[in-house]
Each structure stands twice: as structure tokens, then as C-alpha cells.
């Protein structure tokens, strides 16, 4: 029997309520065209859930997500949450609960749009649930503490398990791209932490003899990628380094509005753009949906890999090619890119383009 996929829809906060619906619009058009059955399930989360249910992470949300194949999560504006124990940041909880060890963040320049390097096309694969981030690197307590008023200590956690998992994600992705993986670390200083990460990357590299592998120290990489991004294809790195470097590479291609992302584990995946919830433009209908829409395509592609379903790959490709055509050929873009279109107008045109292609 043909599988019915179940995908959660979590709008998040602020512009999430504008860009996520357009993402689902594009995803629905693509899967329907391929004859793929999807059960779309709305799941409450974030400030809207807090205002209506008294908590940003309602009871049962995690159990519901566990039953799904994946979900689309809009940006979370947790910095604006009230000072309340029930107003927690859902990000680290979702990543830790579902062991979403690999955060995949592409940076690709689009034709005709301003960019520092028009030829940029690379992907940062970032370890996602350990490292320096104190909200997710320990099971109980916090990885950051202050023993005296004048001293703060931050703990960095690196494990062989997650280092290997994120390396495998990078090499598998490279096999579908240019077959080149660069491990970025600082083992010259962090001899044990980065040293362990590098060791696991080297071990995985031996299992992929068809993929070129090299290593670059993080500060050197920051310089080289700005000067010549075409030297790199798939870049695998630790959590904090990846968080910073993926914003840097987004800057090469036009900013966070063009920076999609996918947090993936062995059993679940979450589409989530790199950008924040942008409360300053919320409700104005001008938010750029590109990053969120392409994140949705990445989720479909991941499901295609997991389930060996080529229809999902075709659906994902149709979304990406359609939104790029809408921008590059039709010139239908939001104001941040120099256009005049609204968020909804972009979403509608993308969905129309998906249905037009090959018809």
C-alpha cells in the first residue's frame, strides 16, 4: 500500500504565521501533483499557544510530534516571551527530545539577486544538540554556571556518537552534491573536544572513499569562505561554530531571508528556517517566505531519502526550482529583495508555478 505521510504544521511566532502557511501551500501543491498522500496536522506551540492554553509547549505536543514523520516549525520569538515558567523556548526541547543531531543549512546565491559571491553554493551541516549551547548540552541542570559574582564557567559537550552522526549526514549529503566534505574545527586549541570531533569525521571519511575529505581550522575557514566560497561544498562542524558560520555564509548570498534549514535525526526531521521571528515586520505581509518554503522542500527531500520515495524528491525539486523561477524569472519578490510583492503573492505564485511545470 502507498504510504500516507503525516506532517505537523507549527506556525511559531510573529512572521511564522505568515510564512508557514505559504510554505504549506507550496508543499501541498508539490505533493498533490506527485500523487502523495499527506495528513497535515496543526500543532499548537509558541506564543499563540501560551495566550490560548497557558504554555508555549502544551501537554501532548511532544507525543503528537512523535507520531508524525516530520514537521514544519515557524520561527520562535522566545526573547519576547513573558517571564513565566510556562513560557519556555521550544527549540532546544524539540531538538533534544527527538535527537535532531544534524542542522543542515544551505547557502546558495540566486541569479539576479545581489550577493557578495554570485557563485556560492554550499551547505553547513552543524551538530545540533550538544556543544557550548547550555540549554541543550546536559540532561539536567545547565551547562553554564557562575560560582562567584565575577566568574562564569561554560561547559562544552562533545560526544563520539553525535560527532559520528553529523559526519554521516554530511557525507550522505555530499554524495548527492559535489562529493566533497570539509570538517571545520579548532583541534589546535581544543585538543580533546575538537580533537574527538575530528577523529570521528576521519573515521567516517574512511567509509566514504568516493567522497573527497579535508579539514580546515575554523578561523582559517571564516577567511577562506568569504574569499572563495566555491572551494567548499558540504561543511561539517560543531554546534557553536556552525551557528556562526551559517549566518556568515547566508550573508554571502543575500541574508537570512535566503537561509533555509532542516534539523534532522534518525527518525524525525523538522523544517525550520535560519532566520528569527522578525516582530518588527510581523503583520505587515512583507516577510520573505523563501527560507521557510525551501526548508519545507528540504523536509520532503529528507522523507524521500528515509522512505526511498522518489516522488518526494521530485516534489522537493519542484518547490525549489519554482521559487527560484518566481524570483529570478518572474521578478515576484518581497521588499527585502527589492520587489513589491506580499508574502501571500509570492506563495501563490510559487504554488501556481509548481502546478504549471511539466503540465
Amino acid at each position: 500500500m502507498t504510504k500516507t505521510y503525516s506532517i505537523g504544521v507549527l506556525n511559531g511566532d510573529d512572521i511564522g504565521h505568515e510564512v508557514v502557511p505559504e510554505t504549506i501551500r507550496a508543499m501541498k501543491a508539490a505533493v498533490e501533483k506527485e500523487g502523495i498522500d499527506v495528513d497535515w496536522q496543526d500543532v499548537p506551540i509558541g506564543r499563540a499557544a501560551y495566550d490560548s492554553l497557558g504554555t508555549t509547549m502544551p501537554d501532548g505536543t511532544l507525543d503528537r510530534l512523535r507520531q508524525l514523520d516530520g514537521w514544519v516549525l515557524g520561527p520562535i520569538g522566545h526573547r519576547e516571551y513573558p517571564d513565566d515558567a510556562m513560557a519556555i523556548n521550544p527549540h532546544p526541547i524539540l531538538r533534544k527530545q527527538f535527537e535532531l543531531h544534524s542542522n543542515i543549512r544551505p547557502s546558495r546565491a540566486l541569479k539576479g539577486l545581489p550577493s557578495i559571491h554570485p557563485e556560492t553554493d554550499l551547505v553547513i551541516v552543524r551538530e545540533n544538540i550538544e556543544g557550548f549551547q547550555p540549554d541543550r548540552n546536559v540532561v539536567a541542570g545547565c551547562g553554564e554556571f557562575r560560582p562567584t559574582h565575577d566568574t562564569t564557567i561554560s561547559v562544552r559537550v562533545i560526544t563520539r556518537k553525535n560527532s559520528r552522526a553529523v559526519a554521516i549526514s554530511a557525507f550522505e549529503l555530499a554524495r548527492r552534491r559535489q562529493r566533497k566534505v570539509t570538517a571545520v574545527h579548532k583541534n589546535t586549541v581544543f585538543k580533546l573536544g575538537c580533537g574527538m570531533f575530528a577523529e570521528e569525521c576521519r573515521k567516517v571519511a574512511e567509509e566514504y572513499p568516493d567522497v573527497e575529505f579535508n579539514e580546515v581550522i575554523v578561523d582559517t575557514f571564516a577567511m577562506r569562505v568569504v574569499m572563495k566560497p566555491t572551494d567548499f561544498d558540504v561543511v561539517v562542524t560543531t554546534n557553536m561554530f556552525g551557528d556562526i558560520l551559517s549566518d556568515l555564509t547566508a550573508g554571502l548570498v543575500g541574508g537570512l531571508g535566503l537561509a533555509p534549514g532542516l534539523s534532522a535525526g534518525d527518525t524525525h526531521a523538522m523544517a525550520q528556517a535560519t532566520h528569527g521571528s522578525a516582530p518588527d515586520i510581523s503583520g505587515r505581509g512583507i516577510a520573505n517566505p523563501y527560507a521557510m518554503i525551501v526548508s519545507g522542500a528540504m523536509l520532503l527531500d529528507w522523507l524521500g531519502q528515509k522512505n526511498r520515495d522518489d516522488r518526494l524528491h521530485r516534489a522537493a525539486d519542484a518547490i525549489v526550482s519554482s521559487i527560484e523561477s518566481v524570483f529570478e524569472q518572474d521578478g515576484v519578490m518581497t521588499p527585502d529583495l527589492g520587489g513589491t510583492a506580499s508574502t501571500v503573492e509570492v506563495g501563490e505564485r510559487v504554488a501556481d508555478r509548481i502546478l504549471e511545470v511539466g503540465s
Side-chain angles (χ1 to χ4, degrees):
M1 295 181 61
T2 303
K3 176 180 172 63
T4 296
Y5 297 93
S6 54
I7 297 178
V9 181
L10 295 76
N11 284 329
D13 299 319
D14 302 317
I15 65 167
H17 294 277
E18 300 166 55
V19 296
V20 170
E22 300 314 314
T23 299
I24 303 305
R25 188 199 300 271
M27 294 175 73
K28 284 183 175 180
V31 298
E32 288 170 7
K33 186 172 183 179
E34 290 294 333
I36 303 167
D37 293 326
V38 176
D39 177 21
W40 304 92
Q41 299 188 22
D42 292 324
V43 182
I45 203 167
R47 183 58 188 257
Y50 178 84
D51 291 342
S52 60
L53 302 172
T55 174
T56 56
M57 182 67 79
D59 291 340
T61 292
L62 294 177
D63 289 336
R64 286 189 64 185
L65 294 178
R66 198 165 280 111
Q67 304 305 314
L68 303 178
D69 293 297
W71 56 90
V72 176
L73 174 65
I76 297 293
H78 64 91
R79 291 183 180 179
E80 303 298 324
Y81 288 172
D83 184 12
D84 183 343
M86 302 305 291
I88 56 177
N89 178 6
H91 279 163
I93 296 172
L94 296 175
R95 291 168 177 172
K96 288 167 66 174
Q97 282 286 324
F98 297 98
E99 296 190 51
L100 305 179
H101 49 67
S102 299
N103 189 199
I104 303 165
R105 295 182 167 186
S107 293
R108 183 172 181 224
L110 300 181
K111 295 177 182 177
L113 297 185
S115 60
I116 295 174
H117 287 286
E119 69 280 13
T120 302
D121 183 3
L122 58 85
V123 182
I124 302 286
V125 182
R126 160 201 178 201
E127 195 288 320
N128 206 28
I129 51 178
E130 48 188 43
F132 267 122
Q133 277 78 341
D135 58 358
R136 70 194 74 160
N137 66 0
V138 295
V139 173
C142 181
E144 191 171 53
F145 58 98
R146 183 168 294 167
T148 74
H149 289 295
D150 302 315
T151 303
T152 299
I153 298 175
S154 297
V155 177
R156 183 189 192 209
V157 176
I158 302 290
T159 67
R160 292 195 184 278
K161 175 186 175 183
N162 274 26
S163 297
R164 175 176 173 79
V166 73
I168 289 173
S169 295
F171 277 88
E172 287 291 329
L173 179 60
R175 275 184 167 170
R176 300 166 58 201
R177 289 177 50 91
Q178 301 302 314
R179 294 181 180 268
K180 182 177 181 179
V181 171
T182 301
V184 172
H185 53 73
K186 186 78 169 180
N187 70 345
T188 51
V189 175
F190 301 104
K191 296 183 183 297
L192 297 182
C194 279
M196 179 181 290
F197 175 79
E199 288 168 9
E200 292 305 308
C201 288
R202 292 168 196 150
K203 291 176 185 176
V204 172
E206 293 177 358
E207 301 170 21
Y208 292 80
D210 56 319
V211 178
E212 178 185 345
F213 175 68
N214 62 86
E215 301 175 40
V216 179
I217 300 303
V218 63
D219 41 329
T220 301
F221 175 83
M223 175 191 68
R224 287 181 55 190
V225 76
V226 169
M227 296 178 69
K228 194 175 180 183
T230 52
D231 283 350
F232 305 101
D233 179 31
V234 177
V235 177
V236 62
T237 189
T238 54
N239 198 336
M240 183 69 79
F241 292 162
D243 196 17
I244 297 167
L245 292 175
S246 58
D247 275 21
L248 184 153
T249 56
L252 297 179
V253 300
L256 291 179
L258 300 175
L262 183 77
S263 290
D266 295 333
T267 59
H268 292 83
M270 173 175 74
Q272 182 186 23
T274 303
H275 62 70
S277 65
D280 57 320
I281 62 169
S282 176
R284 296 170 57 189
I286 60 172
N288 183 356
Y290 175 91
M292 198 71 249
I293 289 175
V294 176
S295 299
M298 292 172 68
L299 175 60
L300 295 181
D301 195 53
W302 180 87
L303 287 171
Q305 282 289 104
K306 182 174 181 287
N307 294 279
R308 299 183 179 180
D309 190 339
D310 288 338
R311 299 175 305 161
L312 286 162
H313 292 312
R314 291 195 296 269
D317 290 344
I319 292 172
V320 174
S321 62
S322 292
I323 194 167
E324 289 181 354
S325 294
V326 166
F327 281 10
E328 296 174 351
Q329 298 176 23
D330 301 346
V332 178
M333 297 176 288
T334 45
D336 60 304
L337 299 178
T340 59
S342 69
T343 307
V344 172
E345 287 171 339
V346 171
E348 289 177 341
R349 187 67 193 102
V350 171
D352 289 344
R353 173 76 73 157
I354 291 169
L355 297 174
E356 291 169 1
V357 175
S359 298

